[in-house]
Amino acid sequence: MRARPHRLVLPLAFGLAALCAAGGLAAVSPGQTEVEPNTLVPKGVMRYAPSVFPDRIVATPAQDASTGFGVSWRTALPAESPPVVDALVVEIVVAGDSPDMGPRRRIAARSTTLEGENGAAEFHHADIDGLQPDTLYAWRVQGAGTWSPWMQTRTAAAADAPLTLLYFGDTQNKNASLSTRVLREAHRHAPDAKLALFAGDLVSGGDGEDDNEWGEWFDAVGPLATMVVNAPAPGNHEYWEEFEDTPQERRVLGGHWSRTFALPANGAPGAEATSYWFDYQGVRVVVLDGTSALDLGTAEAQAAWLDQTLSANPHPWSIALIHQPMYSPRQDRENVALREHVLPVLERHRVDLVLQGHDHVYGRRAGEDPERATPQYLVSVVGAKQYRLSDGARRDMDPTAEDTQLFQVIRLDGDTLHYESRTATGRLYDAFEIRGATPQTRTLHEITEGRIAPRDCTREATLKGRADRCWE
């Protein structure tokens, strides 16, 4: 018998101490008294360097999601100049039960480059059209002499078919460490979901680790990136050097946004790269850019575009997705331009759900006319950064939550919209139904059975000493 090689086994405490001393792990103790880094990547490690293998592969909606979808991915820059392959491609075929994929269609991608802290990369977009509704397609993307695995994505079905979708508030901070579990739990609770809506601030940015953060966002999203189509709204942190108090003239859209996602090219004037709309199985989804509206002067143009888009809606349901809330649950945030220009359009068209992020708490409230079922305004958060509720939010919103990571499952079936908000462990926090064939006849029905008790932050300050937040 062959002897096993000798292994040195150290006591756990000694091993962890040695790793911490060597810079491999941050020191921790019961109650988490040390601030966790924003990424799990140690300083000096190129965890997310681009290579010949395609990565950061994500499916996004086409304007008509029943006949197509977009695909994006990343590779390293070609080693040869000029490159051997003029344009990388997507291969797609109706999914079958045999490993023999059979004849497949090829769609050429358009490519752009970006220099990041992990090295220069090429980002590729392909718009896949001409597909059949409610059909499962297998597809893969090309690298430099390599291919991705085969992925599978189903196109949208007829407008009257039942639909399950997911809504996520800000992921933003500590994505790999703390957002991952929420996204996985969402998929466990809604394995039939076909669409995921992200309400902005997917990453934090501005810390010299933008590329690592995007890499960790993709790690956190995992299989959902291609099993469903993903529709993100831009947040203020998708803008370069953009934080709460950054002057307007420094609001520049970050280089990752337009390269990472292949989105419908039907946006509002002045916000063409960051606003868009699409139809998905009986619902029109309109995505707005709140940062551009508030800080770059496009609120009026986006409101007019929103009005036109909703006026032409042929479907019974409508959803608006925007980062900054119409009614902010955080202290000292008013978002005046949105309230002045965008809110009246949402109210006039009785948009069913307005899904928002930005304020890192949970809150729900009705619209200007509390006698009407719609719109319902929601604010939620996935990630680790947790703020505190304002007194106004506690008065005007119900339910609310602090110190709670959440995801939302929305189911549309005929004349009923069913909404659930669940915690990171899957516990029910909020639920309601909107019932009725038209916006004028819809009624709101609260579902209280099974909800857990309201949650508030019990900490006096964050680990960094900030009393205006619960967690950094």
Side-chain angles (χ1 to χ4, degrees):
M1 180 182 292
R2 206 161 130 196
R4 293 183 179 177
H6 177 70
R7 291 190 303 158
L8 178 62
V9 180
L10 297 176
L12 178 60
F14 180 87
L16 287 175
L19 281 171
C20 291
L25 290 175
V28 294
S29 60
Q32 190 176 345
T33 58
E34 297 289 335
V35 177
E36 181 181 353
N38 195 34
T39 74
L40 298 179
V41 183
K43 187 175 181 179
V45 174
M46 293 183 68
R47 167 71 176 82
Y48 295 104
S51 74
V52 298
F53 295 99
D55 65 4
R56 302 190 186 180
I57 307 166
V58 58
T60 46
Q63 180 173 297
D64 180 356
S66 68
T67 61
F69 54 90
V71 172
S72 305
W73 70 101
R74 184 190 76 151
T75 60
L77 292 179
E80 295 84 2
S81 183
V84 174
V85 180
D86 291 331
L88 300 186
V89 301
V90 177
E91 288 191 340
I92 187 166
V93 63
V94 174
D97 297 317
S98 170
D100 181 1
M101 305 307 288
R104 70 289 306 259
R105 176 183 164 200
R106 284 192 161 198
I107 299 100
R110 57 194 184 277
S111 303
T112 56
T113 61
L114 181 67
E115 183 74 43
E117 66 268 16
N118 287 311
E122 275 195 327
F123 290 77
H124 316 282
H125 288 182
D127 299 316
I128 305 172
D129 58 9
L131 305 181
Q132 295 299 310
D134 196 18
T135 302
L136 186 66
Y137 284 90
W139 54 276
R140 64 178 184 172
V141 300
Q142 188 179 25
T146 64
W147 289 94
S148 74
W150 286 94
M151 269 77 67
Q152 294 190 154
T153 306
R154 184 176 292 276
T155 51
D160 59 351
L163 170 65
T164 300
L165 62 96
L166 298 166
Y167 149 48
F168 300 109
D170 301 24
T171 50
Q172 187 175 343
N173 298 92
K174 302 175 177 60
N175 271 332
S177 176
L178 288 167
S179 294
T180 299
R181 67 184 188 128
V182 185
L183 295 162
R184 300 292 195 274
E185 189 68 15
H187 189 212
R188 190 174 74 81
H189 272 270
D192 58 333
K194 298 172 70 176
L195 172 65
L197 307 179
F198 290 85
D201 279 5
L202 281 64
V203 299
S204 186
D207 56 4
E209 285 198 289
D210 288 34
D211 198 66
N212 286 338
E213 291 188 27
W214 279 105
E216 291 201 340
W217 184 82
F218 274 94
D219 281 355
V221 172
L224 282 175
T226 57
M227 293 177 69
V228 306
V229 293
N230 297 267
N236 52 301
H237 283 268
E238 270 68 72
Y239 280 75
W240 270 337
E241 301 194 46
E242 211 296 315
F243 297 96
E244 285 101 336
D245 302 319
T246 305
Q248 176 176 320
E249 61 270 16
R250 288 175 56 191
R251 310 257 192 220
V252 179
L253 186 65
H256 281 274
W257 176 264
S258 59
R259 291 169 173 84
T260 298
F261 303 108
L263 302 171
N266 55 15
E272 291 88 350
T274 51
S275 60
Y276 58 99
W277 64 269
F278 62 95
D279 291 333
Y280 202 106
Q281 210 163 304
V283 58
R284 175 154 290 187
V285 180
V286 186
V287 181
L288 297 133
D289 182 353
T291 304
S292 177
L294 291 168
D295 300 322
L296 299 177
T298 66
E300 194 168 358
Q302 287 195 64
W305 168 81
L306 175 66
D307 190 30
Q308 293 172 0
T309 303
L310 293 173
S311 295
N313 181 16
H315 302 296
W317 300 98
S318 59
I319 293 175
L321 180 68
I322 186 171
H323 182 59
Q324 289 88 345
M326 299 297 127
Y327 302 97
S328 181
R330 184 189 173 191
Q331 194 72 36
D332 300 324
R333 282 184 170 173
E334 289 297 330
N335 304 329
V336 174
L338 296 180
R339 295 277 288 272
E340 180 180 354
H341 297 290
V342 176
L343 179 65
V345 180
L346 299 171
E347 292 283 329
R348 184 165 61 252
H349 288 278
R350 297 194 184 185
V351 170
D352 295 291
L353 301 178
V354 182
L355 307 180
Q356 306 153 116
H358 192 50
D359 285 340
H360 297 261
V361 294
Y362 184 80
R364 169 163 66 97
R365 65 159 288 170
E368 296 288 279
D369 184 353
E371 299 300 315
R372 298 188 328 200
T374 58
Q376 288 292 311
Y377 295 90
L378 292 309
V379 176
S380 189
V381 57
V382 171
K385 184 195 287 187
Q386 300 280 326
Y387 290 160
R388 297 180 188 272
L389 292 158
S390 68
D391 292 338
R394 295 184 183 279
R395 180 187 66 243
D396 299 331
M397 291 183 165
D398 184 33
T400 58
E402 297 174 326
D403 189 26
T404 309
Q405 292 180 268
L406 297 146
F407 65 89
Q408 287 69 227
V409 180
I410 300 166
R411 291 187 167 91
L412 293 160
D413 190 355
D415 295 344
T416 301
L417 183 155
H418 182 91
Y419 172 99
E420 292 181 355
S421 181
R422 292 184 175 272
T423 69
T425 59
R427 297 194 294 168
L428 186 65
Y429 198 82
D430 185 16
F432 62 85
E433 286 186 347
I434 298 172
R435 303 173 191 166
T438 66
Q440 292 73 27
T441 62
R442 285 182 180 143
T443 54
L444 180 68
H445 301 263
E446 294 287 345
I447 299 172
T448 57
E449 185 178 358
R451 288 193 203 175
I452 66 171
R455 288 177 49 82
D456 292 319
C457 181
T458 59
R459 303 162 58 85
E460 293 184 1
T462 69
L463 297 177
K464 293 182 179 179
R466 292 192 62 161
D468 63 331
R469 297 182 181 183
C470 186
W471 288 96
E472 297 291 351

